[in-house]
Structure formats: structure tokens, C-alpha cells
């Protein structure tokens, strides 16, 4: 089978599950990973005859994809802000919306050089590691309740040569003694009502602990992190959140009630309310 023939077969098999655009994207990501070539080089090799071992690698990947397994879990890696991260079912796959949050933090840092940050609910460590790599001389700490997630985050820190202090703790009961000028979190925020809209490759393969909150108290983690920030955020420090797109108004009201000021709700590239930045009121 040639690469072009395999491409047609691969995409046709995936269209019923993912649609044509995503199916094509998944093929090229698979081909780039297996071949080590970029998309332009692959197009030039359309008539290249694949050996049996390589053909099997494509078909095994295709089989896993049709079952709903995320490509990042198949290859156990994901890219975030130009850095490669190991992923598995213990951590959320880093997403473009979170890259936008990190970009906003880095933009803010151009006018306020951060010196000490805490990432709450770190998962892969992608936020803390990226910020530690991009911000000069920043001291970085990262917290997660899950020992399995922290194991992955520590491996990612080593692989990306990032100096991170990791903390295993539940923010709902964590006191701490440090102070920070940047606290950031992408905590669980998906309600049971939203669960039915989610794709099987999220529900079946990503940790529920990092995804879901109750319908009755959807801001439980945000409230706890905000309370922590009241006690541990420096007077001129910043608190950043990635948020549930449907709860922007409630987030602003909650932060105002807790004494935060300069609250800025920001949309992501899809026009959804996805990020919040604020300061402690002076």
C-alpha cells in the first residue's frame, strides 16, 4: 500500500467518528509521528510504498482512534507552547485554550516581572513548566492532589529542564506558608449537565478528578483558590484562572465578594469567556 492509498483508507475510516476535517488532521499528525517527516515532505512521498511494519503501525493507531482513544494518549505525548509533554490517562491533555491563558500571563509579565508563582492543579505541569522556562528567574511551584499526575509532571519538568517545586495537596484544605506574586489555576469546572455534550475520547480516557464538579457547587475550587490567594498573594500580585465559559458572571461576582479588584474576563479565540485575571484590592 502506498502512503496515498493508506491516507484515503485512514481518513475514510475515521470520518464517521470525527468528521472529515479532524480525520484528515489526525492522519497527518499520525504520519508525522511515525515517519518523522513534516507535512510538506509527506506530500512529496505520496507514492512511497510502505513496508509491512510501518503499515501495521498506522493500522494500530487507526484502530485505537476508532475506539475513541486520543492520539496524544496513543503516542503518550502532547505539545504545548512549543514544548513536548508526556501524557497518559492520569492527566488532562494540554489544550489550546490553556496556551492562550499562558500567553496572557506572559503578556502581563512584560509590565510586571513575576518572581514567585504557584500553579494549582498542575496535571502535566504544562503551565508551571512553560512559565518557568519563559520567565527570567521566576521561582515556580506546582500543586496537585494526584500522586500519579505529579509523577508525570515531574518527568515533564526533567525532560524540559525546568526547575519546579512540586506539592502534593488538596487545595480545598491546604494552608501553606509561602507568598506569591502569581497564582494560576485551571481547576475542574465541568458540570454534570455539560457531560452529555462531551466526546468519548475525553470521557473514556481523561481523569474525572481533573474535569468535573457538582451542579450544586460548580465554583468550589475557584472559591478555595481565591481564599488561598487572599492569604498568600502579594499586595501587587495577580490571580489567573481558566474558567467554565458559562460561569463568567458568577466568577466575577465571587471574586468581587472576596475583595479582588481589576477583574478582567477575557474571551478565547473561539469567542468564549474562558479566562480571568484579577488583583487583590488595595
Amino acid at each position: 500500500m502506498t502512503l496515498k492509498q493508506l491516507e484515503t483508507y485512514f481518513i475514510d475510516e475515521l470520518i464517521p467518528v470525527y468528521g472529515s476535517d479532524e480525520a484528515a488532521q489526525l492522519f497527518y499528525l499520525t504520519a508525522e509521528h511515525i515517519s518523522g517527516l513534516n507535512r510538506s515532505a509527506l506530500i512529496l512521498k505520496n507514492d512511497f510504498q510502505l513496508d509491512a511494519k510501518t503499515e501495521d503501525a498506522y493500522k494500530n493507531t487507526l484502530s485505537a482512534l476508532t475506539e475513541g482513544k486520543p492520539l496524544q494518549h496513543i503516542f503518550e505525548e502532547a505539545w504545548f507552547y512549543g514544548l513536548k509533554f508526556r501524557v497518559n490517562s492520569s492527566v488532562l491533555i494540554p489544550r489550546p485554550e490553556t496556551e492562550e491563558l499562558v500567553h496572557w500571563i506572559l503578556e502581563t509579565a512584560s509590565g510586571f516581572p513575576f518572581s514567585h508563582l504557584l500553579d494549582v492543579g498542575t496535571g502535566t505541569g504544562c503551565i508551571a513548566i512553560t512559565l518557568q522556562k519563559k520567565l527570567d528567574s521566576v521561582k515556580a511551584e506546582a500543586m496537585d492532589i494526584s500522586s500519579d499526575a505529579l509523577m508525570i509532571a515531574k518527568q515533564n519538568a526533567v525532560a524540559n529542564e525546568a526547575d519546579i517545586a512540586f506539592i502534593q495537596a488538596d487545595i480545598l484544605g491546604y494552608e501553606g506558608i509561602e507568598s506569591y506574586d502569581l497564582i494560576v489555576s485551571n481547576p475542574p469546572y465541568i458540570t454534570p449537565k455539560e457531560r452529555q455534550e462531551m466526546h468519548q475520547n475525553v470521557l473514556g480516557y481523561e481523569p474525572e478528578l481533573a474535569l468535573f464538579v457538582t451542579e450544586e457547587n460548580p465554583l468550589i475550587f475557584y472559591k478555595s483558590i481565591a481564599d488561598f490567594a487572599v492569604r498568600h498573594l502579594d499586595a501587587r500580585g495577580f490571580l489567573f484562572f481558566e474558567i467554565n465559559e458559562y460561569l463568567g458572571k458568577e466568577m466575577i461576582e465571587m471574586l468581587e465578594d472576596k475583595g479582588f479588584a481589576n477583574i478582567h474576563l477575557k474571551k478565547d479565540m473561539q469567542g468564549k469567556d474562558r479566562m480571568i485575571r484579577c488583583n487583590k484590592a488595595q
Side-chain angles (χ1 to χ4, degrees):
M1 186 180 290
T2 66
L3 184 61
K4 183 61 180 176
Q5 290 170 328
L6 181 65
E7 175 185 352
T8 301
Y9 169 72
F10 196 103
I11 293 174
D12 286 348
E13 289 292 308
L14 289 183
I15 284 175
V17 182
Y18 296 95
S20 57
D21 290 344
E22 190 172 354
Q25 178 73 359
L26 286 168
F27 169 76
Y28 277 109
L29 290 171
T30 299
E32 287 170 356
H33 181 88
I34 290 174
S35 69
L37 301 173
N38 62 31
R39 190 168 302 194
S40 299
L42 285 165
I43 291 171
L44 295 175
K45 292 183 175 290
N46 268 343
D47 296 327
F48 186 76
Q49 195 76 29
L50 301 174
D51 60 46
K53 183 177 179 181
T54 303
E55 195 173 312
D56 284 345
Y58 278 97
K59 289 180 176 178
N60 289 338
T61 302
L62 175 61
S63 176
L65 286 170
T66 56
E67 293 171 3
K69 189 170 186 177
L71 189 66
Q72 294 92 335
H73 283 173
I74 296 170
F75 296 142
E76 294 193 338
E77 66 180 38
W79 288 87
F80 182 89
Y81 221 89
L83 300 173
K84 187 164 72 172
F85 290 85
R86 185 180 174 221
V87 298
N88 64 14
S89 58
S90 299
V91 294
L92 291 182
I93 296 167
R95 285 167 166 79
E97 296 85 356
T98 311
E99 287 185 311
E100 293 183 57
L101 176 66
V102 166
H103 186 69
W104 194 19
I105 294 170
L106 293 175
E107 285 183 331
T108 304
S110 65
F112 185 94
F114 296 114
S115 62
H116 194 184
L117 71 88
L118 173 66
D119 172 24
V120 180
T122 196
T124 59
C126 63
I127 293 177
I129 290 168
T130 303
L131 291 174
Q132 201 278 325
K133 297 282 288 183
K134 300 291 183 182
L135 298 174
D136 292 335
S137 304
V138 73
K139 180 181 177 182
E141 298 180 27
M143 177 192 301
D144 208 289
I145 190 175
S146 166
S147 59
D148 291 336
L150 285 175
M151 181 177 69
I152 296 296
K154 289 174 182 177
Q155 292 172 359
N156 284 327
V158 171
N160 285 290
E161 299 180 333
D163 184 12
I164 311 290
F166 290 100
I167 304 164
Q168 184 174 1
D170 182 352
I171 192 60
L172 298 182
Y174 183 69
E175 290 298 328
I177 58 172
E178 299 280 353
S179 62
Y180 307 90
D181 53 13
L182 169 60
I183 296 175
V184 56
S185 184
N186 175 21
Y189 58 66
I190 299 171
T191 63
K193 192 181 298 183
E194 297 169 85
R195 185 187 185 110
Q196 49 197 295
E197 303 170 13
M198 297 174 68
H199 197 283
Q200 179 57 33
N201 64 357
V202 175
L203 293 174
Y205 295 94
E206 298 202 68
E208 293 201 2
L209 183 67
L211 289 169
F212 297 107
V213 289
T214 64
E215 208 75 55
E216 297 74 27
N217 195 4
L219 301 185
I220 182 172
F221 293 103
Y222 294 101
K223 292 174 182 176
S224 185
I225 295 165
D227 287 338
F228 181 87
V230 167
R231 302 190 302 272
H232 295 277
L233 192 64
D234 291 344
R236 295 177 62 244
F238 286 83
L239 175 61
F240 282 84
F241 285 122
E242 183 173 327
I243 69 167
N244 186 316
E245 63 180 288
Y246 303 113
L247 297 174
K249 180 175 178 288
E250 290 83 351
M251 283 291 301
I252 290 172
E253 291 173 351
M254 181 272 291
L255 290 168
E256 287 176 339
D257 288 344
K258 292 186 182 295
F260 288 90
N262 303 316
I263 301 170
H264 183 180
L265 177 63
K266 186 177 175 67
K267 296 183 184 299
D268 64 15
M269 292 181 67
Q270 297 180 353
K272 299 176 179 179
D273 291 335
R274 185 64 74 184
M275 294 160 271
I276 277 187
R277 181 185 71 188
C278 60
N279 302 103
K280 286 171 72 171
Q282 299 299 306

